[in-house]
Amino acid sequence: MISARLYILQRATALIMAPLVIGHIAVMIYAVQNGLSAAEILSRTQGSFFWAAFYGLFALAVAIHAAIGLRAILHEWAGLKGALLTAICWGIALGLGGLGLQAVYSVTG
Amino acid sequence: MKLSGHRKQSLWFAFILHRISGLVLALFLPLHFWVLSLALRDPAALDGFLSWTDFWYVKLAEYGLVFLLSVHFFGGLRLMALEWLPWSPAQKTYAASALAAGFALATSFFLSATIYG
Amino acid sequence: MTEIERQDTDILILGSGGAGLFAALHAQRTAPDLKITLAVKGLIGKCGCTRMVQGGYNVALGGGDTVERHFMDTIIGGKWLPDQDMAWRLCNLAVERITELENEVGCFFDRNPDGSLHQKAFAGQTADRTVHKGDLTGIEIISRLMEQVLRRPVEKLQEHRAIAFIPATGGEGLAGVLFIDMRTGKFRFVRARTVLMSTGGGPTMYRYHTPSGDKTMDGLAMALRRGLPLRDMEMVQFHPTGLLAGDHTRMTGTVLEEGLRGAGGHLLNNYDDRFMFDYDARGERATRDVVSRGIYAEMRKSNASPNGGVYISMSHLGPNKVRQLFPGMVKRCADSGFDLAAGKVEVVPTAHYFMGGVVVDVDTKTQIPGLYVAGEDAGGAHGSNRLGGNGVANSTVYGGVAGDVMGRDALKTGALRDPDEGILQDEIDRACRPFARTGGDLNSLRQQLRQIMWDDVGVMREAAGIKNGLAELSRLKNDLYETGVTDGMRAFNLTWHDWLNMDNLIEISQVIAHAALARENSRGAHFREDFPEEGSLEDSYFTLVKQTGETLEVSRENVDFTIVRPGETILPEDAPATLVS
Amino acid sequence: MPDSLPAKEQLLDVHIWRGSGEEGSYQTFQVPLQESQTILDVVSYIQQYIDTGLSYRFACRVGMCGSCAMMVNGVPRWTCRTHVKKITDGMRPADGLTISPLRNLPVIKDLVVDMDLFFDKWVRAEAVHHPTRTARDAIQPVEEETAERQAANAAIECINCAVCYAACDVVASNPDYLGPAALNRAWSLVNDVRDGGREAILQAVSGTGGCHNCHSQQSCQKYCPNELNPTASIAGLKRESAKYAMRSLLSLAGSGKKGEKA
Ligand SMILES: Cc1cc2nc3c(=O)[nH]c(=O)nc-3n(C[C@H](O)[C@H](O)[C@H](O)COP(=O)(O)OP(=O)(O)OC[C@H]3O[C@@H](n4cnc5c(N)ncnc54)[C@H](O)[C@@H]3O)c2cc1C
Ligand code: HEM
Ligand code: SF4
Ligand code: F3S
Ligand code: FES
């Protein structure tokens, strides 16, 4: 179910996410030390182009990456295939991407 | 899925760990995004959520998620190394190291959250 | 009347060893528009002995070696009994065939540092001539051939056991072949314009034997029943070192490679004495037949190991060195519970190859129009002894020849021939015979057969023993025909096939015994204790056995020295005796 | 009965799968233990001495033909070279041996499976030599020491036993997946300098059933009786075919642009 193209996309997004995951976890370790609050998060992220780009890229990459990953799982474990599988995976990618960008927008916008 | 004999080998466990972690992370993501987007619409609700994190069981769940993320991360790096670097016979060691590293990273997150949080 | 499925094809090939697969490729090339059907007792490419070839493939590829030298070695090795035209064609076409294997089929043979094919010398060769892929040459040859055949439009009839050649009504030529579809247990009759028999002989009627379990002389028995003459049937080659681990395991009899002795392995009797020098000045490095007889004689002196053989010991070379030199053999022994590197392993001579076979011409044609024979089933090319490395050369060379010839002949043949329905029905009845009986003990019969052949028509023979063997074989045959197989579930019924195997094995055992009795001298693989001399080379004869009605007729025919006479050579006068350093 | 039973006969419980197609169940037999005894010997004993209707497949009996693979206590193995002791050591004797047909292939009867699909995929993977020379040309000189030759050689000693195919969960759950053995052979050919089908192979292993479906479970490598490493071969294919796909994407994009200008 995974062709060369999807493979490339999945590995590429994984590579893109690699430093982002490290960054994200580091921020979390740092952030939780001061106790989490909406205000605290927003003060750090709001209006920051850097964080918008950081999390925007993360959200897009993860949407693609997870959709392809779930494609394999849905095929192998749920037996889905063909157009239905492709449609579902597009749905997951667009859904995750949309939700993700919305979340990024709400904390950085 | 019964654990039949052929699956009783460490690298199969590494595979299933990678898959489960990816799957759970993917399922968790929509929730995560939804909670964050509350920041715009309803900061108080977000705070309400965040205050939950004071409960130990939520902390544990959080720990679990961070563990899954870090173990998936290291596992992913391991897989890409397997695919793209010259073959190494030490695959079991790498898988064990990825697990250990994921564990260490998640624990340090957990500790800083419990000590300071 | 039993239900039979019927179908037609143009070219029908029995067996997927080196001969069968090559025939399929060549027939497809020669007659691409004709339908080709490949019928096998096992799975395509996964049965038969070509896959089990270890040492390699003999071919003269220059560097001083010539086709003439290969030919002379073959004739001398066969003790002047080979059909010289067949031997010549074998040596000559091997050159083209090895190139085809490497270039077209894709075989991956070992190389010299300069990139050319690596060749080594087997015993009995005067040049480094054996092309190989490590010590698993057969796997490489058959896997590559199998891929090529699988990708071509060849009809597959797998787990189809041929049980009879069915002549045309009126008797002119062959109509087709009757099979049991082993998976369903039903009969199938396939009409064909041309049929190749390449079922690979295989002397599995001996207590110890090397060939794969699917080989039970089916083809030779089928040919015998249609009245075809078989030649050199007394010539059974024994390999000196078969693994010995008791009668209850199928590992017993399988080959421990020749190279072990070559590298300096010792053969020890039960008292840890190196006994081979009592029999030959070359000790363990003497030729296969000599070492086999040495071991056999030692066993008879009550010097045998617990399981009744002798030991091969390599440990004096240093266990690590043995592991490094023979990784495959060490691992194989270890898997079976033996330590070849540091311990000693029980061995026994084991029936390995069958030189005898159907009389054919150099184009693989038999006396029956439409029937062709190639590979180990065909007699003549090796005479009384096959050189190591000439077996797979023979099956691939003549398999290819058969494919070409059959392709051309099938294009010329008019309508398919109609079968003699009476014979068809008789053959079905014959196969169903055990279902009408109850009782009997097939396992005991199998063990008796193996013991009789081993004792009476084995490594060493003499008239009284052979006669005793013949009497026992007749008794065995009667017992078999009173032994039943439970009917009801014919699909993949191995016990039914064991019965059919036994039928063929006993029949050919009788032929072997008759031929062995008829040869009153000792040549190559055939050793008569009552006639130990090789006899006059000038008057060399080969034996012929033919079935007429219920009786076997044995005759002798003089070898026609068409190319070279005993005492002469076709090598240039100044040619060195050997090129092997 | 064979004449060499040990003095005190020890019996082993053997549970064997009987049936055909999807239907079947386990049946238990008692087999005397012997000093040198393989799993194939155990199965043969049952067919010869206890239940003459039992079906199984073997040919060479020495690990060369790859006909005899079965699941032994849930693990795929070549049975002719698996010593019974290897399995029973460390096992509770009461558990006995469980022998079932090879996984991931349709069952014909009892322990016999239909291997056609396995070989169909072999051909579909273009895992068949693509000649560049004919029998009339000279044999191509190839140096053993080169990296390509060694890579081709490392993957070549496959007996197509389908043990790896049975061990792989992707094969079980993705019917199109070509499987470790076919891909391993394809990788050998990609490295074989004599092969003219590189592009055809890379294309054949890049589709929906191709090498990219492998999740590196490595059971193939773990259980391959010949110690081959299909995981490494498949990794190589993933690399080379991804590069190939990138190149063709780029060249497509390139030609697309030219098309626009024109
Ligand atoms: C262990 C071993 C090692 C050997 N090593 C060497 C070596 O190093 N060099 C060398 O030159 N030779 C060697 N030989 C000999 C060589 O393998 C054979 O001479 C040669 O391969 C025979 O080829 P073939 O095609 O005639 O028969 P095989 O390869 O034996 O094929 C026979 C085919 O016929 C099929 N068949 C049998 N009966 C029927 C039936 N009733 N209906 C349908 N199909 C049937 C079989 O299933 C099989 O597919 C070795 C043999 C053995 C056993
Ligand atoms: C939060 C983010 C992530 C999510 C939700 C996620 C999700 C998934 C999912 C669902 C799969 C499919 C698993 C399978 O087929 O067995 C997968 C596979 C994979 N992931 Fe992730 N992933 C994330 C981050 C990462 C990161 C950061 C990396 C690498 C650094 C990574 C590397 C991989 C790789 C290499 C695979 C392929 C595994 C295979 O084909 O067997 N992932 N991911
Ligand atoms: S790769 Fe190994 S396990 Fe797979 S078919 Fe080949 S020999 Fe068998
Ligand atoms: S077991 Fe299967 S998942 Fe890949 S590494 Fe082997 S093919
Ligand atoms: S019988 Fe040939 S590999 Fe086991």
Side-chain angles (χ1 to χ4, degrees):
Chain A
M1 273 304 116
I2 304 295
S3 61
R5 234 183 49 234
L6 292 180
Y7 168 84
I8 295 170
L9 266 176
Q10 212 212 17
R11 297 304 187 265
T13 50
L15 279 182
I16 291 171
M17 282 189 291
L20 304 181
V21 166
I22 287 294
H24 185 53
I25 293 183
V27 168
M28 283 195 298
I29 290 180
Y30 165 78
V32 291
Q33 290 178 4
N34 307 323
L36 277 179
S37 71
E40 192 274 332
I41 295 178
L42 292 176
S43 73
R44 184 161 20 96
T45 53
Q46 221 150 30
S48 157
F49 174 75
F50 173 77
W51 290 115
F54 183 98
Y55 282 114
L57 187 60
F58 204 158
L60 288 177
V62 83
I64 297 171
H65 178 88
I68 299 172
L70 292 174
R71 179 183 169 86
I73 297 179
L74 285 171
H75 179 63
E76 290 173 27
W77 286 0
L80 297 185
K81 53 184 186 227
L84 176 65
L85 179 61
T86 304
I88 290 178
C89 291
W90 270 108
I92 292 172
L94 294 176
L96 273 183
L99 276 177
L101 288 180
Q102 192 192 1
V104 174
Y105 176 67
S106 35
V107 291
T108 60
Chain B
M1 282 213 150
K2 182 170 156 281
L3 198 60
S4 98
H6 75 278
R7 300 200 179 102
K8 289 182 192 146
Q9 58 104 353
S10 44
L11 293 168
W12 187 84
F13 285 109
F15 151 77
I16 203 73
L17 183 63
H18 193 75
R19 169 157 289 190
I20 300 291
S21 58
L23 184 59
V24 174
L25 286 172
L27 294 179
F28 162 75
L29 268 180
L31 179 72
H32 187 53
F33 290 153
W34 177 69
V35 168
L36 284 173
S37 57
L38 285 181
L40 191 64
R41 278 184 275 134
D42 192 353
L46 179 58
D47 271 332
F49 264 109
L50 292 174
S51 63
W52 276 26
T53 56
D54 291 341
F55 294 108
W56 65 269
Y57 52 84
V58 179
K59 279 232 156 71
L60 207 67
E62 221 173 37
Y63 174 58
L65 276 174
V66 178
F67 170 69
L68 291 180
L69 177 61
S70 50
V71 95
H72 187 88
F73 165 76
F74 285 115
L77 290 184
R78 170 186 71 94
L79 286 169
M80 289 189 283
L82 177 155
E83 287 172 348
W84 295 336
L85 301 182
W87 181 260
S88 152
Q91 293 302 329
K92 282 190 204 165
T93 314
Y94 293 161
S97 314
L99 179 63
F103 204 67
L105 189 57
T107 307
S108 63
F109 169 75
F110 186 59
L111 285 181
S112 62
T114 40
I115 291 170
Y116 299 100
Chain C
M1 192 178 138
T2 327
E3 188 194 332
I4 322 177
E5 289 165 29
R6 290 176 190 248
Q7 67 191 63
D8 293 340
T9 189
D10 294 312
I11 298 170
L12 175 60
I13 296 163
L14 310 182
S16 70
L21 291 175
F22 246 107
L25 288 182
H26 277 232
Q28 217 259 329
R29 194 169 66 191
T30 311
D33 297 332
L34 294 188
K35 182 171 170 193
I36 300 167
T37 302
L38 182 57
V40 209
K41 202 174 175 183
L43 298 181
I44 288 178
K46 292 176 78 66
C47 47
C49 290
T50 310
R51 213 179 221 281
M52 300 170 74
V53 164
Q54 301 181 325
Y57 190 115
N58 281 354
V59 54
L61 290 177
D65 195 15
T66 57
V67 173
E68 284 76 8
R69 186 176 279 279
H70 185 182
F71 170 80
M72 284 310 298
D73 285 350
T74 302
I75 299 298
I76 292 168
K79 308 284 181 217
W80 295 94
L81 293 194
D83 177 301
Q84 298 195 348
D85 296 325
M86 283 184 75
W88 175 259
R89 199 155 198 208
L90 161 63
C91 302
N92 194 28
L93 282 186
V95 182
E96 178 183 318
R97 203 62 89 233
I98 205 76
T99 320
E100 188 175 350
L101 278 166
E102 170 72 41
N103 287 359
E104 295 184 14
V105 179
C107 290
F108 196 94
F109 296 121
D110 285 359
R111 295 300 211 269
N112 292 313
D114 70 356
S116 60
L117 289 190
H118 181 256
Q119 291 176 284
K120 57 183 183 181
F122 257 128
Q125 286 177 191
T126 63
D128 291 334
R129 181 178 294 143
T130 309
V131 172
H132 62 109
K133 166 77 189 84
D135 56 4
L136 297 172
T137 311
I139 296 178
E140 178 62 13
I141 290 178
I142 288 295
S143 294
R144 303 296 79 91
L145 280 168
M146 173 191 80
E147 291 164 6
Q148 296 292 346
V149 169
L150 289 180
R151 110 139 132 223
R152 284 172 170 72
V154 170
E155 184 187 38
K156 299 185 276 184
L157 292 178
Q158 302 194 89
E159 305 193 299
H160 271 65
R161 175 195 189 121
I163 56 170
F165 295 121
I166 308 298
T169 38
E172 225 341 80
L174 188 67
V177 179
L178 176 63
F179 294 92
I180 298 171
D181 175 345
M182 299 167 73
R183 294 179 180 176
T184 62
K186 293 192 180 137
F187 292 95
R188 169 168 283 126
F189 176 68
V190 182
R191 285 199 305 173
R193 288 168 212 279
T194 54
V195 174
L196 176 67
M197 164 175 142
S198 49
T199 62
T204 53
M205 65 283 277
Y206 286 87
R207 179 165 177 194
Y208 308 110
H209 58 254
T210 68
S212 60
D214 48 302
K215 296 221 301 184
T216 53
M217 296 281 182
D218 297 354
L220 291 184
M222 285 158 56
L224 184 75
R225 283 177 212 137
R226 287 293 89 85
L228 284 178
L230 309 181
R231 63 171 286 174
D232 298 324
M233 294 294 284
E234 69 279 24
M235 300 300 179
V236 181
Q237 183 174 66
F238 284 83
H239 193 290
T241 52
L243 183 68
L244 179 57
D247 285 337
H248 60 271
T249 173
R250 294 202 191 265
M251 292 178 300
T252 287
T254 57
V255 172
L256 292 188
E257 76 181 54
E258 196 109 55
L260 295 174
R261 286 181 294 119
H266 290 169
L267 291 171
L268 307 174
N269 66 17
N270 203 33
Y271 307 105
D272 269 352
D273 294 328
R274 259 182 99 183
F275 58 84
M276 262 316 293
F277 287 96
D278 300 350
Y279 301 96
D280 195 281
R282 291 164 293 177
E284 285 90 354
R285 295 190 193 195
T287 49
R288 276 183 191 174
D289 50 333
V290 172
V291 179
S292 294
R293 286 196 287 276
I295 295 177
Y296 188 74
E298 194 66 15
M299 287 160 53
R300 281 204 301 208
K301 283 190 200 156
S302 324
N303 289 343
S305 61
N307 276 311
V310 300
Y311 292 102
I312 190 159
S313 166
M314 307 297 297
S315 54
H316 58 279
L317 299 174
N320 283 335
K321 184 165 173 214
V322 179
R323 278 186 207 107
Q324 184 200 332
L325 281 177
F326 302 101
M329 277 292 126
V330 171
K331 181 164 182 269
R332 189 193 283 184
C333 287
D335 286 347
S336 328
F338 304 101
D339 186 354
L340 179 66
K344 42 184 195 175
V345 177
E346 277 183 83
V347 293
V348 68
T350 175
H352 185 48
Y353 184 90
F354 200 62
M355 273 76 74
V358 177
V359 175
V360 290
D361 69 8
V362 290
D363 280 335
T364 73
K365 290 185 185 171
T366 67
Q367 291 177 358
I368 299 179
L371 181 60
Y372 305 72
V373 178
E376 199 172 322
D377 274 342
H382 310 295
S384 73
N385 224 342
R386 171 191 66 104
L387 296 184
N390 266 3
V392 58
N394 178 63
S395 59
T396 52
V397 161
Y398 281 107
V401 169
D404 295 334
V405 174
M406 287 164 72
R408 285 196 296 270
D409 288 358
L411 286 170
K412 283 186 293 200
T413 326
L416 286 161
R417 305 177 186 97
D418 283 323
D420 182 323
E421 295 288 339
I423 294 182
L424 191 61
Q425 190 54 45
D426 288 349
E427 292 288 357
I428 288 175
D429 294 345
R430 177 191 179 92
C432 291
R433 190 174 197 139
F435 295 133
R437 305 282 187 284
T438 51
D441 181 353
L442 195 57
N443 295 310
S444 154
L445 296 184
R446 180 172 44 235
Q447 270 170 358
Q448 291 177 47
L449 170 66
R450 291 178 177 181
Q451 195 66 45
I452 294 166
M453 290 304 285
W454 176 253
D455 288 339
D456 293 333
V457 204
V459 181
M460 295 197 234
R461 307 152 174 189
E462 40 91 34
I466 300 172
K467 283 180 185 151
N468 180 57
L470 277 168
E472 290 280 298
L473 287 171
S474 316
R475 178 190 56 81
L476 217 52
K477 182 142 203 147
N478 289 331
D479 288 353
L480 181 73
Y481 281 6
E482 292 311 318
T483 299
V485 171
T486 320
D487 203 354
M489 190 59 165
R490 292 189 186 181
F492 230 104
N493 186 332
L494 293 183
T495 307
W496 182 21
H497 291 283
D498 282 347
W499 192 98
L500 295 166
N501 292 345
M502 278 290 286
D503 191 19
N504 292 338
L505 285 172
I506 295 175
E507 205 146 71
I508 297 304
S509 295
Q510 290 174 319
V511 177
I512 294 174
H514 278 292
L517 199 55
R519 173 169 295 283
E520 296 187 326
N521 59 33
S522 294
R523 289 272 179 109
H526 173 76
F527 188 82
R528 285 282 296 262
E529 292 182 89
D530 43 358
F531 297 98
E533 303 304 323
E534 66 177 6
S536 150
L537 291 181
E538 218 21 76
D539 303 321
S540 293
Y541 58 86
F542 59 91
T543 62
L544 278 170
V545 181
K546 203 176 147 170
Q547 180 175 321
T548 340
E550 287 298 295
T551 51
L552 293 177
E553 287 170 17
V554 190
S555 59
R556 298 171 177 176
E557 199 161 307
N558 281 341
V559 177
D560 201 355
F561 301 115
T562 51
I563 298 175
V564 61
R565 304 195 67 80
E568 295 172 0
T569 179
I570 57 168
L571 293 179
E573 262 170 38
D574 54 350
T578 180
L579 304 168
V580 181
S581 46
Chain D
M1 303 257 163
D3 38 28
S4 51
L5 289 188
K8 232 180 91 206
E9 190 175 281
Q10 235 193 317
L11 294 174
L12 180 68
D13 279 346
V14 186
H15 315 292
I16 298 217
W17 200 89
R18 303 299 299 276
S20 45
E22 309 271 291
E23 314 269 295
S25 58
Y26 284 94
Q27 200 179 336
T28 303
F29 302 93
Q30 295 199 312
V31 177
L33 276 173
Q34 304 268 2
E35 183 51 35
S36 302
Q37 191 176 30
T38 62
I39 301 294
L40 178 64
D41 293 331
V42 167
V43 173
S44 302
Y45 181 91
I46 295 171
Q47 177 251 327
Q48 290 175 340
Y49 294 99
I50 309 179
D51 183 339
T52 56
L54 177 64
S55 309
Y56 57 100
R57 183 188 282 134
F58 79 101
C60 72
R61 72 211 154 93
V62 282
M64 298 184 111
C65 69
S67 309
C68 65
M70 302 168 199
M71 303 300 287
V72 182
N73 288 359
V75 169
R77 296 186 183 280
W78 54 4
T79 56
C80 67
R81 277 186 54 184
T82 302
H83 206 281
V84 172
K85 284 211 192 93
K86 181 174 176 173
I87 309 295
T88 53
D89 273 0
M91 193 179 93
R92 283 183 310 170
D95 291 346
L97 276 179
T98 303
I99 306 177
S100 48
L102 204 59
R103 199 170 155 255
N104 294 341
L105 288 164
V107 177
I108 294 176
K109 180 167 174 280
D110 298 347
L111 302 172
V112 182
V113 294
D114 186 345
M115 296 189 74
D116 278 358
L117 188 59
F118 174 79
F119 287 109
D120 289 350
K121 287 181 178 179
W122 194 288
V123 174
R124 232 189 282 159
E126 284 289 336
V128 182
H129 177 70
H130 308 81
T132 48
R133 294 176 179 228
T134 75
R136 272 157 299 285
D137 301 317
I139 288 175
Q140 183 169 347
V142 186
E143 284 180 29
E144 295 275 12
E145 300 307 318
T146 54
E148 290 95 343
R149 177 76 176 183
Q150 288 187 354
N153 197 23
I156 209 163
E157 271 170 17
C158 169
I159 56 170
N160 24 77
C161 62
V163 161
C164 54
Y165 191 82
C168 175
D169 278 358
V170 181
V171 172
S173 49
N174 178 350
D176 287 338
Y177 181 48
L178 296 168
L183 293 172
N184 177 69
R185 169 69 184 137
W187 177 240
S188 186
L189 283 172
V190 165
N191 286 292
D192 189 338
V193 292
R194 305 167 311 152
D195 193 81
R198 187 186 165 86
E199 289 201 5
I201 298 171
L202 292 179
Q203 251 159 29
V205 302
S206 295
T208 52
C211 61
H212 303 101
N213 291 280
C214 160
H215 300 299
S216 306
Q217 290 173 0
Q218 296 180 68
S219 304
C220 52
Q221 176 208 359
K222 161 101 181 172
Y223 298 114
C224 171
N226 283 320
E227 295 168 10
L228 299 185
N229 188 349
T231 310
S233 297
I234 295 170
L237 279 181
K238 284 176 180 166
R239 248 182 348 253
E240 287 308 312
S241 56
K243 278 190 218 157
Y244 175 76
M246 291 284 275
R247 267 199 304 274
S248 28
L249 272 178
L250 289 178
S251 69
L252 258 183
S255 63
K257 268 186 203 133
K258 266 182 219 149
E260 274 165 20
K261 272 184 200 156

